[in-house]
Amino acid sequence: MYLEWLIRDRVCHLSDFEGVVVENVWKSYGRGWVLRGISFKLVSGSTLLVVGPNGCGKTTLLKIVAGLLRPTRGTVLVYGSTPTTMEAKRFTGVVLDHPMLYRELTVEENLRLFASLYGVKDYDPYSDEVVEMLGLHRWLKVKVGELSFGWRKRADIARAMIHRPKLLIVDEPLNGLDTAAAKTVSELLYSHVSKNRGIVLAASPTEQPLLDWMECGRIVDGKLVLGR
Amino acid sequence: MILAVEMLVKLVWKDIACTARKPVEFSGMLVFAAAAAVVVAYAALFAGDRAPVYAISLFLVPAFISMFVAFTGFIREFEEGTLDSLRVAPIGGELIFFSKLFFSFILIGVVTAAYELLVVFFTGGDVSLLNPYLQMLALSYIVYLAATASLASSMLVYSSAKSVLVPVVLLVLVLPVGQSYIPLYMDAIAGIVSLQPLLSIWVVSLGYSLIASALSRTALF
């Protein structure tokens, strides 16, 4: 099945496509297929919420788009480049199901480190609107290892958005957050999209109500099916 | 180029800060160095010729330290989930590898230096282990060990048998070049200085580091 979201009404070559192109992606870990020919296009400013039961391949699909896994077959292009290239990584922010910050460093040190790795000049976490929106100000001087899971998750989202990526890839962002924090993160993601930036997101069934503004696709038997 | 150097410095600083704030690992390495120094000093005091004792210890002790260091490299990043944050960042695999190599070099170098000073202390002031030519040889060996530890760490990061395979792979990779250091160490302790083997061994160490960098990219990305 071939799905297209909000595609502009013109024919363009895949490598010129302003967004994400996933074409006929298959993935196997050795026995059987996890993904079976998934295809979609995602233009800037649009969203894809991938849902499905545990083990259906949501995280696998996200990791392939993020360049952390290679598809067994098929093509993935992020703004015209394969996801493992530096060009694609500059456009992408990734949040996985586990926080990816250094536990021995403070939140501020982590953010400053990743700002320099993403080439963000003169980054100041104290004037970062994402940090403010997530309520991280008072935790900036605290070591990540001393934070609760929810605050670590919020700090990780701030890390992924430090360079204001054109594409945000997020795996279960609301998992482990209380209701207020989940609402804040949902609003943050909404404001990200409103700035003409894209999101590919995987969510568990409990997270879906707060993300109902997103275009949705279910993974069924390794294939992506449009709709909730 | 300047940006790459800046990133390299930040990555090495990050590893140093993480290790310094996790004192158990570093203290453990120092305790190992002290225990090794006691044994070697004891053997040296009773040996007729101290050169073989020192030479073999300078081959073995840094090699053992590099095993610990291999576990603090990519393997620790993987276990703490931070390796993925480096893999998705727009930085080259070589840069990440070199940052680990530099950090490993610093860590092995510091612990080896502590070991040497402790040997001097336990032998009651025998400074033959500290001669500059010997130190230049030892430094090139530490470069080689740092590259090997980083390579083994990157190769085995996804292996479920890494706790066994890291020491095995390290010893297999270190032995062929490492054993050639023993006669050079013995000459150095005897006061025989020759620049040609010193240069050769540095070329081997640096060349190997570049090859290891290329290999690690394949393993990690």
Side-chain angles (χ1 to χ4, degrees):
Chain A
M1 180 157 179
Y2 192 80
L3 299 173
E4 291 190 12
W5 267 271
L6 305 169
I7 302 292
R8 286 165 296 184
D9 189 21
R10 67 182 174 89
V11 177
C12 58
H13 191 267
L14 287 185
S15 61
D16 297 329
F17 188 76
E18 282 288 309
V20 182
V21 179
V22 174
E23 198 167 70
N24 195 27
V25 163
W26 292 67
K27 180 66 185 176
S28 167
Y29 289 109
R31 45 182 167 69
W33 293 99
V34 180
L35 303 179
R36 298 162 178 265
I38 285 188
S39 300
F40 65 86
K41 287 180 182 176
L42 193 75
V43 291
S44 291
S46 60
T47 61
L48 171 60
L49 170 64
V50 184
V51 295
N54 290 341
C56 71
K58 300 188 296 282
T59 300
T60 298
L61 176 61
L62 259 59
K63 284 188 170 178
I64 287 172
V65 178
L68 289 168
L69 286 176
R70 287 177 197 273
T72 312
R73 286 188 219 153
T75 309
V76 179
L77 293 174
V78 175
Y79 289 89
S81 307
T82 48
T84 49
T85 59
M86 302 262 261
E87 290 75 27
K89 287 174 182 176
R90 281 194 195 99
F91 293 124
T92 314
V94 182
V95 182
L96 295 182
D97 53 352
H98 59 274
M100 305 195 292
L101 297 168
Y102 292 94
R103 297 169 64 91
E104 287 78 27
L105 303 185
T106 64
V107 174
E108 181 181 349
E109 286 168 338
N110 267 290
L111 293 177
R112 286 190 190 278
L113 170 69
F114 283 100
S116 64
L117 296 185
Y118 279 92
V120 182
K121 299 263 182 220
D122 304 323
Y123 175 75
D124 181 13
Y126 294 94
S127 57
D128 184 341
E129 60 178 2
V130 172
V131 170
E132 190 176 339
M133 206 166 165
L134 289 167
L136 278 166
H137 272 133
R138 64 195 169 106
W139 302 104
L140 285 172
K141 297 279 184 204
V142 179
K143 281 187 195 171
V144 169
E146 293 167 5
L147 295 177
S148 68
F149 182 82
W151 283 108
R152 257 187 280 162
K153 188 100 184 176
R154 277 182 255 193
D156 203 33
I157 292 168
R159 172 200 58 78
M161 296 179 73
I162 209 156
H163 58 304
R164 304 297 183 262
K166 283 185 177 178
L167 173 70
L168 196 57
I169 299 164
V170 198
D171 193 6
E172 303 195 353
L174 312 183
N175 189 20
L177 299 181
D178 57 40
T179 314
K183 195 164 174 284
T184 305
V185 171
S186 173
E187 284 168 4
L188 179 70
L189 295 175
Y190 187 81
S191 77
H192 179 79
V193 175
S194 66
K195 289 169 186 157
N196 201 33
R197 298 175 185 135
I199 296 180
V200 181
L201 191 146
S204 60
T206 52
E207 294 173 280
Q208 283 178 47
L210 276 170
L211 300 165
D212 57 0
W213 49 273
M214 295 183 75
E215 297 286 339
C216 187
R218 279 179 296 124
I219 295 184
V220 181
D221 294 330
K223 294 178 178 175
L224 193 62
V225 181
L226 181 62
R228 286 173 194 273
Chain B
M1 184 66 186
I2 294 167
L3 196 65
V5 173
E6 195 185 319
M7 283 182 184
L8 189 68
V9 171
K10 294 260 183 189
L11 287 169
V12 175
W13 167 84
K14 172 260 297 174
D15 281 332
I16 292 172
C18 287
T19 303
R21 293 173 193 180
K22 213 178 200 177
V24 175
E25 283 178 357
F26 186 61
S27 309
M29 288 184 213
L30 289 179
V31 169
F32 170 80
V38 168
V39 174
V40 168
Y42 192 70
L45 287 173
F46 290 95
D49 182 5
R50 292 181 177 189
V53 177
Y54 287 156
I56 290 169
S57 79
L58 268 186
F59 163 65
L60 280 177
V61 171
F64 274 100
I65 297 165
S66 70
M67 284 181 205
F68 308 141
V69 171
F71 282 104
T72 66
F74 292 109
I75 291 173
R76 184 168 70 184
E77 296 256 10
F78 173 71
E79 284 171 350
E80 296 192 352
T82 50
L83 185 59
D84 284 340
S85 63
L86 293 181
R87 290 178 68 207
V88 298
I91 43 175
E94 293 85 0
L95 197 68
I96 298 173
F97 181 81
F98 271 117
S99 75
K100 289 292 174 205
L101 194 153
F102 275 115
F103 168 68
S104 303
F105 174 75
I106 292 167
L107 198 51
I108 300 171
V110 167
V111 181
T112 304
Y115 159 75
E116 290 173 347
L117 292 172
L118 285 164
V119 170
V120 173
F121 175 74
F122 289 129
T123 53
D126 180 3
V127 291
S128 55
L129 209 55
L130 300 181
N131 90 58
Y133 178 65
L134 184 67
Q135 292 307 309
M136 287 302 289
L137 284 170
L139 270 182
S140 77
Y141 182 48
I142 291 170
V143 169
Y144 182 81
L145 285 174
T148 308
S150 305
L151 178 63
S153 190
S154 67
M155 280 167 60
L156 298 167
V157 72
Y158 302 115
S159 166
S160 57
K162 51 175 107 47
S163 53
V164 173
L165 290 179
V166 165
V168 172
V169 168
L170 257 173
L171 279 180
V172 167
L173 291 174
V174 166
L175 264 178
V177 172
Q179 64 182 355
S180 63
Y181 276 87
I182 295 173
L184 294 174
Y185 283 153
M186 288 176 64
D187 286 351
I189 292 165
I192 303 166
V193 175
S194 175
L195 283 182
Q196 198 267 330
L198 179 66
L199 283 175
S200 310
I201 214 104
W202 266 102
V203 168
V204 169
S205 289
L206 296 175
Y208 177 76
S209 301
L210 292 175
I211 294 168
S213 158
L215 290 174
S216 76
R217 185 176 171 76
T218 316
L220 277 173
F221 295 91

